[in-house]
Amino acid sequence: MSRRALRRLRGEQRGQEEPGLGELGLNPEPQHRPEGGRRGPACSGVSNRFQLITAEEPEEEPPSRGEARLREQDAGEGNKEGAVTEEPEGDGQRDGEEAEPDQTPVLSNKPRKKKKKRKTKKPPAGEAPEDNDLEDIESLLEKIEDTNGLSQQTQGGIIADSRPLLYVEHRNLNPENELKRYFGARAVLGDQRPRQRQRQYVRSTWLTAPKNTWPRYSKTGIAMQLLDTRRGVQHFTFEHHREYQQVQFKFLDAVESMDPNNIVLLLQMNPYHVDSLLQLSDVCRMQEDQEMARDLIERALYSLECAFHPVFSLTSGTCRLDYRRPENRAFFLALFKHLMFLEKRGCPRTALEFCKLILSLDPENDPLCVLLLIDFLSLRAREYTFLTRMFQEWESHRNLSQLPNFAFSVPLAYFFLSQQEERSESERSQARERAARLIQLALIMFPSVLTPLLDHCSVQPDARVASHSFFGLNAQISQPPALNQLTALYVGRTHSLWKDPAVMAWLETHVHEVLRMVDAQDPLVEESEHKRKMRYQSAPRNIYRHVMLSELKEATAALPLEVTSQPVMGFDPLPPLDSIISYTRPERTNHPSNESTLSLFFRSLLPNFNLQGDVRHDGDEEAGAGQDLNQGVNRLMAAMRDMLANIQFQEPPRDDNPEGDGDWD
């Protein structure tokens, strides 16, 4: 490893030390240095301070083992050339002692030649020294975190982290770090480093990395304000300035026109308008342009992060945003859609970190219901300890076991922990017991999950399970519709995690154990059936919002009619009923939405038809309504007569050959 990499690991920077007057040779009387200090041999007796530019700088700390090996290798050449070699402090070298006291020309080229030799050493073929240094530094940092981390061993054998549950790390928000762990730094970065040196200055952000292809960023009119601080929790909100409100009104007009080209034109004038970026991203995704859709979402996140309040923190877990305010919804939706792109890209660990960030913004209400997703991301990222810790800490006040995804994913996480060979036998046996107890409770509470799960995994149940009524079709028909949505969402999302043969063998064992309890008329079975009938009467609005954003066909098909019949916009799906409106859109002069369906139909056939006619001047509304109806019918009849009068029928062309070219038999 190079000296620069070692200095970076120790937290030092080159040139931080400030040479004293005595070291510069400006003090006429030699000043005795304190005990333990060192005087660089290259700095003594210098009359011109600018000669120090070419001199080798002294090291403040003793050289490491890597540097000692390099110096031992060059010791033979150094002794022949008369170069001075430094030794660590405390190895017999006295303060101020030099190897050759008669050496008057301090600034000789010999140290510089030695440095040049070390610098021009050719690496092996096919290796990049910078990549090797980066990988070595990352491996050393991971070892330091493993040994000096904040994790502690509990009595139960499961590792407990002393940090907050929803603690977010900045380095885990960058998908390139996860890809580097999978494929290596050279495969991920490639030739990006030279381009980054030539890139124009942009503001560094944590959520996304700005790209050269993006338009130049300027203030968009979005700001963040600190509302109040209660019990150590800070409440923020985004604000739209007047110029941004005008752009927002134009965007709503473009959405009502049902023409994506109007949104494109608006983005050309305002390239960082967040709602336009979200809506156009959905259009690109429907047209199978995933790269452009992801790029638009990242640009929206960059625009919002540039508007952050100086006190707003992504990692503390104590900053809150209220989803009831329309200005804050874009940040939630941009994070969620970016999370979904990361999961499809194969970065589940980064997606899990974004999921924790969304949950930390409003953990009590959870407006996008990411609790239905965080278990899947934890299992995919193999963060089993985080999932089990979340279940233990939140079960008492959030009843996570009443959600089918937590009821089945937590025992699966314990099962995976019991298969890890690096754990002790007591830890593995305890995890195995917890997994067995929790999977049996899940099968008793939600029996309708088993049959669809086996169907998605292409597994045929045995005769006893298939013929038993507890897991049969009756279990799916008798449960409430809200529970059907939750089970369909879980099975459609996480069925791939259950395809492992070892998992299926473990599940089969406990399915038979549950059937034995059902046949024995265990009171727990009847109690669970009563809970299913009393609860899950209707799903809250945030679950519907989550299902529509996830776009899983199994769950979308189970949505009720009152939800599917509503128009859903990508920039604000299913807004809360108790929204806090800070500004309203001005009323438009004409109201085409007030026209009836019949009127719109005739307008599509007859562009000149207008059922409502001119604006009436009568003050009496009831009389005016009847008069408008009569006039509308008369205008409709006149328009129909006009259309029929203009219809002209052309005579068919005469055939000169009446006999024809052939017979029609």
Side-chain angles (χ1 to χ4, degrees), residues 315-585:
T315 60
S316 64
T318 58
C319 298
R320 303 286 184 264
L321 287 174
D322 195 348
Y323 192 81
R324 294 177 300 172
R325 297 180 179 270
E327 297 87 350
N328 297 335
R329 295 171 195 167
F331 188 53
F332 282 90
L333 296 172
L335 288 174
F336 189 89
K337 294 182 179 183
H338 185 57
L339 175 156
M340 300 301 292
F341 280 120
L342 288 172
E343 192 271 329
K344 293 177 183 177
R345 192 181 173 187
C347 300
R349 182 65 185 88
T350 311
L352 175 62
E353 209 71 10
F354 274 92
C355 192
K356 290 159 62 176
L357 175 59
I358 297 174
L359 189 58
S360 68
L361 295 175
D362 195 355
E364 297 298 328
N365 300 316
D366 192 11
L368 299 185
C369 207
V370 293
L371 282 177
L372 300 178
L373 176 64
I374 197 169
D375 62 301
F376 169 66
L377 296 176
S378 300
L379 292 175
R380 278 211 59 195
R382 299 182 180 181
E383 293 289 331
Y384 310 127
T385 306
F386 167 77
L387 182 58
T388 55
R389 179 192 172 192
M390 185 176 192
F391 181 76
Q392 293 172 1
E393 294 185 7
W394 284 28
E395 169 63 17
S396 59
H397 66 283
R398 298 296 292 267
N399 292 327
L400 296 182
S401 59
Q402 302 306 307
L403 294 174
N405 59 315
F406 271 93
F408 281 87
S409 293
V410 172
L412 185 60
Y414 276 117
F415 172 76
F416 286 136
L417 286 175
S418 67
Q419 302 298 312
Q420 294 180 352
E421 297 180 355
E422 62 269 14
R423 296 184 177 273
S424 63
E425 186 61 32
S426 60
E427 295 175 6
R428 295 170 62 184
S429 62
Q430 185 176 7
R432 199 177 302 115
E433 292 174 1
R434 291 185 179 181
R437 178 172 53 86
L438 291 175
I439 192 62
Q440 293 176 13
L441 292 176
L443 290 170
I444 293 174
M445 186 65 190
F446 306 106
S448 61
V449 175
L450 180 64
T451 304
L453 183 62
L454 295 179
D455 291 341
H456 279 76
C457 296
S458 302
V459 174
Q460 185 70 25
D462 56 10
R464 183 188 178 192
V465 176
S467 60
H468 205 285
S469 60
F470 186 73
F471 292 116
L473 185 61
N474 187 29
Q476 302 180 25
I477 298 176
S478 61
Q479 68 181 4
L483 187 55
N484 274 331
Q485 296 159 15
L486 294 176
T487 55
L489 182 67
Y490 177 72
V491 172
R493 176 174 283 158
T494 61
H495 64 88
S496 60
L497 300 174
W498 294 83
K499 290 184 177 181
D500 189 1
V503 175
M504 275 296 165
W506 167 73
L507 179 63
E508 182 184 5
T509 303
H510 296 291
V511 166
H512 287 288
E513 181 64 24
V514 168
L515 290 181
R516 186 192 63 79
M517 297 172 62
V518 172
D519 295 337
Q521 296 182 355
D522 194 298
L524 183 60
V525 178
E526 185 179 357
E527 180 183 352
S528 300
E529 183 179 0
H530 178 69
K531 288 181 180 179
R532 285 197 304 271
K533 292 181 179 179
M534 296 299 296
R535 302 171 182 175
Y536 314 105
Q537 296 298 324
S538 62
R541 200 172 178 84
N542 60 343
I543 291 182
Y544 293 147
R545 195 179 296 123
H546 176 87
V547 171
M548 302 187 78
L549 288 173
S550 301
E551 295 183 350
L552 290 172
K553 59 181 181 180
E554 296 87 355
T556 308
L559 287 174
L561 183 61
E562 61 267 15
V563 176
T564 55
S565 60
Q566 299 180 16
V568 178
M569 298 298 175
F571 68 95
D572 191 8
L574 294 180
L577 301 177
D578 55 346
S579 299
I580 302 176
I581 307 298
S582 59
Y583 65 94
T584 57
R585 182 183 178 187

Side-chain angles (χ1 to χ4, degrees), residues 201-265:
Y201 173 75
V202 291
R203 178 176 177 179
S204 60
T205 53
W206 292 111
L207 298 178
T208 56
K211 301 178 182 178
N212 294 330
T213 56
W214 290 358
R216 185 179 181 87
Y217 178 79
S218 60
K219 290 187 177 181
T220 58
I222 303 180
M224 180 181 280
Q225 182 184 1
L226 175 62
L227 295 178
D228 58 354
T229 303
R230 298 190 299 267
R231 297 179 181 178
V233 177
Q234 299 169 327
H235 296 264
F236 295 86
T237 183
F238 284 98
E239 288 184 343
H240 293 172
H241 296 165
R242 185 175 297 276
E243 59 272 12
Y244 193 90
Q245 294 178 13
Q246 299 300 323
V247 180
Q248 186 74 11
F249 298 151
K250 294 179 182 178
F251 164 73
L252 296 176
D253 294 339
V255 170
E256 289 182 356
S257 68
M258 305 297 292
D259 188 1
N261 294 323
N262 294 333
I263 303 178
V264 174
L265 293 175

